[in-house]
Amino acid sequence: MGIVVQKYGGSSVADAEAVKRVARRIVEAKKAGNDVVVAVSAMGDTTDDLLEKAQAVSPLPPARELDMLLTAGERISMALVAMAISDLGYSARSFTGSQAGVITDSVHGKAKIIDVTPGRITTALEEGHIVIVAGFQGVSQDTKEITTLGRGGTDTTAVALAAALQADVCEIYTDVDGVFTADPRIVPTARKLDRVTYEEMLEMAANGAKILHLRCVEYARRFNIPIHVRSSFSKLDGTIVSGSIDDPAPEEGTMEQAIIAGVAHDRSEAKITVTGVPDKIGEAARIFVALAEAQINLDMIVQNVSEAATNRTDISFTLPHTDGQTAMKTLAALKDEIGFESLLYDDRVGKVSLIGAGMRSHPGVTAKFFSAIAEAGVNLGMISTSEIRISVVVADVDVDAAVIATHTAFDLDADDVEAVVYGGTGR
Ligand code: ASP
Ligand code: MG
């Protein structure tokens, strides 16, 4: 008998009907002879609603209390799912993250899982129960406080449980049929991928694909847990995330690795330009040390050639727009020390990324990508690349056009419209 770990996102447990539907699905897995462990997210938009409530009483709520509040969302759904299962004649036990042994560091709001001690889960399984775990939360090893793992963290809870329990598979149930070659809300002809490697999925998640939490993919890769991303609204097979781009080539006669896995986009970044930075050794370092000390994660960085007349240059970078104000304040405080001219802030930008392991061995991918964007009448801002990704920054109003043009240029369109978005949120 194998252990199956399943995760249900907020849109899959949005209301009573949805909870009952999920309960039936969980019971099916149990009836098929598996030990079943389930990680659940908060119902629908509960987490956003709780955040709003916090804002209403305090503009800057203490991080500890915010975690106390937010973890309540998952506690509601775990108990309701357990009740619905018991109504079907099966017995379920719900556990908070802390009870389930999800041990984290002590960083409120974005804690990292450092260990999982699933003693209570294995005991409950041995006693024949279905186990339901509140996602997105744990308990700090040092401070013993309740923590949350960051938005979308239930994916990571599920994979961490799968690793600790040595589960056969981690099934992530969501409101689309799997991982698509682009966001079906923008490209209705996007195709479902049957399989994608960890590295490609990491690049997609890191560059805006919301289907899986980035840390969950990192975790799955580290522990070699296959993830099956599939819809809780249909019975179709979804996408298997497994294997590495460095695995030996498939045997002869099997399909060649696709050149492109997909096109991701991200509207959550902003761009800051520091103009007139004196072109002296150490100036860029000063800027980026200050940003690092403010705990700001940067994405793309571009430094222009300095103008001969002034010996000054512009430095631009992108960052999450939620960090925009902190970054601007941090840099403004350095204006005299560094002697730059001005700071420009632009959050009307978006990033479009082309991802695929095959681009390592196929020349011309960049040329085709940039040509497609140009033909769509879209201007490129910044550019960055990794071994298996090319990203460009464009104006936010141009993101859709750039995604559609790129998707078509690389022949990714399906013949029919096949992407169905069952829920509302894409999670
Ligand atoms: N409920 C949390 C969120 O909305 C965690 C999750 O959904 O995975 O971010
Ligand atoms: Mg959610």
Side-chain angles (χ1 to χ4, degrees):
M1 196 162 68
I3 297 183
V4 170
V5 174
Q6 303 185 329
K7 177 259 175 173
Y8 292 93
S11 56
S12 297
V13 292
D15 54 27
E17 273 321 303
V19 167
K20 289 194 226 171
R21 193 168 38 77
V22 160
R24 287 195 292 274
R25 191 123 196 185
I26 294 169
V27 164
E28 269 172 41
K30 173 77 178 169
K31 276 193 200 159
N34 302 293
D35 275 344
V36 186
V37 176
V38 178
V40 285
S41 293
M43 299 169 80
D45 297 328
T46 302
T47 308
D48 291 315
D49 296 343
L50 292 172
L51 278 169
E52 252 173 54
K53 286 201 168 76
Q55 284 294 319
V57 294
S58 158
L60 211 68
R64 175 189 188 277
E65 303 310 326
L66 197 57
D67 275 357
M68 279 302 206
L69 181 72
L70 294 186
T71 50
E74 271 69 14
R75 289 181 71 146
I76 294 173
S77 39
M78 75 176 190
L80 291 176
V81 169
M83 290 175 197
I85 291 173
S86 111
D87 211 51
L88 297 171
Y90 283 75
S91 105
R93 287 274 181 279
S94 66
F95 296 99
T96 65
S98 165
Q99 289 177 316
V102 179
I103 314 287
T104 71
D105 63 19
S106 55
V107 184
H108 286 292
K110 49 178 173 196
K112 284 204 181 68
I113 296 179
I114 50 185
D115 195 12
V116 179
T117 50
R120 294 195 67 179
I121 298 182
T122 42
T123 306
L125 290 176
E126 277 159 23
E127 290 168 2
H129 305 295
I130 293 168
V131 171
I132 316 292
V133 179
F136 159 72
Q137 55 182 274
V139 60
S140 158
Q141 191 166 50
D142 305 334
T143 62
K144 309 292 179 221
E145 299 290 5
I146 299 297
T147 54
T148 62
L149 309 179
R151 298 305 306 267
T154 306
D155 292 351
T156 305
T157 302
V159 171
L161 291 172
L165 296 163
Q166 298 181 321
D168 300 329
V169 63
C170 181
E171 298 182 328
I172 306 260
Y173 285 89
T174 179
D175 58 9
V176 290
D177 282 322
V179 180
F180 281 80
T181 48
D183 185 340
R185 292 167 193 78
I186 296 183
V187 187
T189 50
R191 241 188 297 145
K192 188 185 76 189
L193 299 169
D194 292 329
R195 198 186 151 260
V196 65
T197 61
Y198 290 123
E199 290 94 336
E200 288 164 307
M201 195 64 236
L202 277 172
E203 290 281 14
M204 289 167 106
N207 290 285
K210 299 211 173 52
I211 185 97
L212 287 178
H213 198 223
L214 177 61
R215 291 242 297 278
C216 129
V217 187
E218 286 169 351
Y219 214 100
R221 180 186 184 198
R222 178 143 45 98
F223 292 95
N224 205 16
I225 302 287
I227 304 178
H228 186 179
V229 184
R230 58 193 308 189
S231 169
S232 69
F233 297 81
S234 84
K235 292 275 149 114
L236 299 174
D237 281 336
T239 303
I240 304 286
V241 185
S242 70
S244 163
I245 57 171
D246 295 324
D247 288 348
E251 296 133 46
E252 251 187 279
T254 58
M255 239 177 40
E256 198 193 334
Q257 195 173 40
I259 300 176
I260 299 302
V263 187
H265 72 281
D266 189 351
R267 298 179 208 272
S268 68
E269 295 197 340
K271 180 170 98 176
I272 290 179
T273 303
V274 192
T275 72
V277 182
D279 197 357
K280 289 198 307 245
I281 289 174
E283 294 300 348
R286 265 211 266 189
I287 291 175
F288 293 110
V289 165
L291 294 169
E293 281 168 0
Q295 299 286 324
I296 291 168
N297 270 323
L298 306 176
D299 184 17
M300 296 189 198
I301 301 172
V302 172
Q303 174 172 342
N304 287 343
V305 182
S306 64
E307 279 183 50
T310 59
N311 206 29
R312 285 171 181 269
T313 182
D314 296 346
I315 296 178
S316 298
F317 56 88
T318 61
L319 74 175
H321 66 59
T322 44
D323 288 339
Q325 291 317 313
T326 316
M328 288 295 278
K329 267 191 224 142
T330 306
L331 293 176
L334 290 175
K335 186 162 193 284
D336 293 337
E337 194 185 318
I338 297 180
F340 61 81
E341 276 154 16
S342 65
L343 285 175
L344 308 174
Y345 183 73
D346 183 1
D347 60 7
R348 293 189 312 262
V349 295
K351 184 170 66 169
V352 177
S353 302
L354 183 68
I355 293 145
M359 70 173 67
R360 294 182 299 174
S361 51
H362 280 80
V365 172
T366 309
K368 198 190 234 185
F369 181 30
F370 290 2
S371 304
I373 291 181
E375 276 158 32
V378 173
N379 194 33
L380 296 185
M382 305 159 85
I383 299 165
S384 81
T385 62
S386 81
E387 194 187 13
I388 59 169
R389 174 185 52 84
I390 310 162
S391 300
V392 297
V393 171
V394 300
D396 60 357
V397 291
D398 289 335
V399 167
D400 288 14
V403 170
I404 292 166
T406 307
H407 196 264
T408 303
F410 285 91
D411 285 327
L412 297 172
D413 293 303
D415 298 335
D416 304 317
V417 174
E418 54 170 57
V420 185
V421 181
Y422 301 93
T425 63
R427 291 206 53 81

